[in-house]
Amino acid sequence: METMTAAASMKFPREPANYDEISMQQSMLFSDSLKDLKNLRKQLYSAAEYFELSYTNDDQKHVVVNTLKDYAIKALVNTVDHLGSVTFKVNDLLDENIAEVSGTELRVSCLEQRLRTCHEYINREGLSQQSLVINTPNYHKRYILPVGETMNGGLRTKSKYEGCSVDKGDEWHQFRSAIRATIHEAPPSIASKGLSSSPTPRLVQQPGNFAFSKSMPKKDLERRTVSPHRFPLLRSGSLTRKPTTPKSSRPTTPNQSRPTTPNPSSGRQPFISDPRKSASMRIRVGKESPKEFEQFPSKSKRLLKALLSRRKSKKDDTLYTYLDEY
Amino acid sequence: MARAGGITNAVNVGIAVQADWENREFISHVSLNVRRLFDFLVQFESTTKNKLSSLNEKLDTLERRLEMLEVQVSNATSNPALFTST
């Protein structure tokens, strides 16, 4: 019984200093409780043997029985206390570990989310870089040609012009070669009347009055037909250098005031600023109306057909009038 | 005298029987409490086993996730070109 009471006695801990000391003390108490539970079985067996001997040897059996009852009750209560404290500590330990694991899971989830965010950011950056590498569609030069005025020979009172674009390189080369061939094969009689500074009305009224090669020799003409600067086509880059009035600014012969080289900086200029001369080079499509772009291939084809048909006749003045505009 | 002795023996037997019933009642109470204690221990064992199994599962999952994170971080550190802007 003395051992039982000694085992049941609680050790009062001193004041802990920090968390480590508290945990150490709790672990020590837990281990002591487990040791007491282990020793409880031996104590109960030894108490049973003691009471059995006392009951057989002692005359006062009633006192022995009463003592045995008290001891059994105390042993049972002590066992319940031990088991309660041990189970409470085990539960507390398990809950602490589960909470710690839950916190660690949250941290790992946070790390995974961060890593996923980094992956998404990297993918987005790579996609943006690759998308910048992709070449945007580059549209070629586009020319605005007056429709109906030069063909009919009327005055330039109409403000209706139709655009024509040479979308493909083959059409563009065909167009240039057709123009060159037409000019080159033109008879001298046609081009012997001189060239005026504002040729359009007069040239329309006088068919075949194209004085391209009057003031220059044939050798020079051949040389200039080969030169790409002979008929420099107007582009949007030269719009800033041209005056707004077309009649006064249109020279009869191509000069250097009209640059033939494409100007990339003028690729985003408006489509028509000077409708008679304008030719713009576009880089992007999205800001323009789609109808205009749909009209240009058909117009260019019509223009090529007209040029080629006029080339055979060689007497049509409209072509020269038309070419005179350039 | 004999009648009085018989009555005394009957009283003693009755007292003994009552004491025996009290002892039996006490033993039954103790056994009942021991059974309750046993049931509590069994329930505690099952609860503790369940908690330990869930904790073990969580630790396994956490270990795998940490290993995966470790591999990803090692891959990222082995390829620093992923983080350099061109």
Side-chain angles (χ1 to χ4, degrees):
Chain A
M1 290 182 67
E2 293 177 354
T3 55
M4 184 70 186
T5 54
S9 65
M10 294 295 292
K11 298 176 182 178
F12 294 101
R14 61 184 178 84
E15 291 295 327
N18 50 10
Y19 179 77
D20 293 334
E21 195 170 349
I22 291 172
S23 62
M24 183 71 74
Q25 204 165 7
Q26 286 181 355
S27 62
M28 290 292 289
L29 287 173
F30 183 68
S31 61
D32 291 337
S33 298
L34 288 177
K35 286 179 182 177
D36 291 338
L37 277 175
K38 285 181 180 178
N39 293 324
L40 191 61
R41 184 179 179 180
K42 295 177 182 177
Q43 291 176 11
L44 288 175
Y45 273 108
S46 62
E49 288 176 358
Y50 172 75
F51 280 113
E52 188 177 3
L53 290 174
S54 305
Y55 187 79
T56 53
N57 297 326
D58 201 350
D59 293 335
Q60 297 179 352
K61 294 182 180 178
H62 184 70
V63 176
V64 175
V65 170
N66 287 333
T67 307
L68 178 61
K69 286 181 181 178
D70 292 336
Y71 181 80
I73 290 169
K74 286 181 181 177
L76 185 61
V77 169
N78 199 6
T79 304
V80 169
D81 287 340
H82 272 89
L83 287 175
S85 66
V86 168
T87 53
F88 174 75
K89 287 175 182 175
V90 168
N91 269 327
D92 194 12
L93 190 62
L94 280 175
D95 290 337
E96 282 183 0
N97 288 326
I98 287 171
E100 191 175 358
V101 169
S102 298
T104 310
E105 279 186 345
L106 283 176
R107 290 181 183 176
V108 171
S109 298
C110 183
L111 284 174
E112 285 181 352
Q113 190 173 0
R114 285 183 183 178
L115 198 62
R116 202 178 301 121
T117 307
C118 288
H119 274 296
E120 289 178 359
Y121 179 74
I122 289 168
N123 291 331
R124 197 176 301 158
E125 285 294 323
L127 184 62
S128 63
Q129 288 177 4
Q130 293 298 322
S131 65
L132 288 176
V133 170
I134 294 171
N135 292 324
T136 55
N138 187 11
Y139 290 92
H140 294 282
K141 308 165 188 72
R142 185 172 54 196
Y143 301 96
I144 306 303
L145 302 173
V147 175
E149 293 181 355
T150 57
M151 294 295 182
N152 296 328
L155 296 175
R156 295 180 182 274
T157 56
K158 290 183 179 180
S159 62
K160 181 180 179 181
Y161 294 93
E162 293 187 5
C164 178
S165 68
V166 183
D167 290 333
K168 296 179 180 180
D170 295 336
E171 294 181 358
W172 166 242
H173 288 300
Q174 284 182 356
F175 176 69
R176 293 188 65 179
S177 62
I179 291 172
R180 287 174 185 173
T182 305
I183 299 302
H184 184 67
E185 293 174 359
S189 61
I190 294 174
S192 63
K193 296 289 181 73
L195 189 63
S196 62
S197 59
S198 59
T200 308
R202 284 185 291 171
L203 285 175
V204 170
Q205 291 172 0
Q206 297 174 3
N209 191 6
F210 187 75
F212 229 100
S213 62
K214 181 182 179 182
S215 62
M216 58 184 68
K218 188 176 181 181
K219 182 181 179 181
D220 192 13
L221 178 63
E222 290 177 353
R223 183 180 55 82
R224 293 194 62 182
T225 52
V226 176
S227 174
H229 294 283
R230 177 166 176 78
F231 297 103
L233 297 173
L234 297 180
R235 295 168 191 177
S236 61
S238 62
L239 292 176
T240 56
R241 300 175 63 178
K242 287 187 289 185
T244 54
T245 55
K247 287 184 178 180
S248 63
S249 65
R250 186 179 301 134
T252 55
T253 56
N255 53 11
Q256 294 180 352
S257 64
R258 295 176 180 177
T260 57
T261 57
N263 191 6
S265 62
S266 63
R268 289 174 181 264
Q269 288 184 356
F271 177 62
I272 299 172
S273 60
D274 189 358
R276 293 182 183 181
K277 302 176 183 179
S278 67
S280 64
M281 183 177 68
R282 297 300 175 96
I283 294 175
R284 294 179 184 273
V285 188
K287 295 181 180 179
E288 301 299 329
S289 61
K291 292 181 179 179
E292 296 175 354
F293 294 104
E294 291 175 356
Q295 290 175 356
F296 296 147
S298 61
K299 296 297 179 184
S300 64
K301 288 178 181 177
R302 271 193 283 166
L303 174 66
L304 286 172
K305 288 179 180 177
L307 287 172
L308 292 172
S309 62
R310 303 302 183 198
R311 174 188 166 192
K312 291 178 180 178
S313 64
K314 298 181 181 179
K315 290 182 180 180
D316 197 357
D317 56 338
T318 57
L319 175 62
Y320 297 104
T321 305
Y322 182 68
L323 291 172
D324 191 22
E325 293 177 359
Y326 291 95
Chain B
M1 287 296 290
R3 189 174 181 181
I7 292 171
T8 305
N9 289 330
V11 169
N12 290 331
V13 169
I15 291 170
V17 169
Q18 187 177 359
D20 184 63
W21 277 109
E22 285 176 356
N23 289 331
R24 288 176 184 268
E25 186 181 4
F26 174 76
I27 291 168
S28 67
H29 280 297
V30 170
S31 63
L32 181 62
N33 287 320
V34 169
R35 284 182 181 178
R36 285 180 180 175
L37 187 62
F38 182 75
D39 291 337
F40 167 75
L41 288 176
V42 169
Q43 187 179 358
F44 174 74
E45 183 190 7
S46 64
T47 307
T48 307
K49 279 186 176 179
N50 189 14
K51 285 184 179 180
L52 284 173
S53 62
S54 65
L55 188 63
N56 190 20
E57 187 177 356
K58 283 184 178 180
L59 284 173
D60 288 337
T61 307
L62 197 61
E63 190 177 359
R64 291 174 187 171
R65 290 167 70 180
L66 281 173
E67 285 180 355
M68 193 178 71
L69 278 176
E70 191 177 355
V71 169
Q72 287 180 355
V73 169
S74 63
N75 285 330
T77 52
S78 63
N79 294 323
L82 292 174
F83 299 101
T84 58
S85 62
T86 57

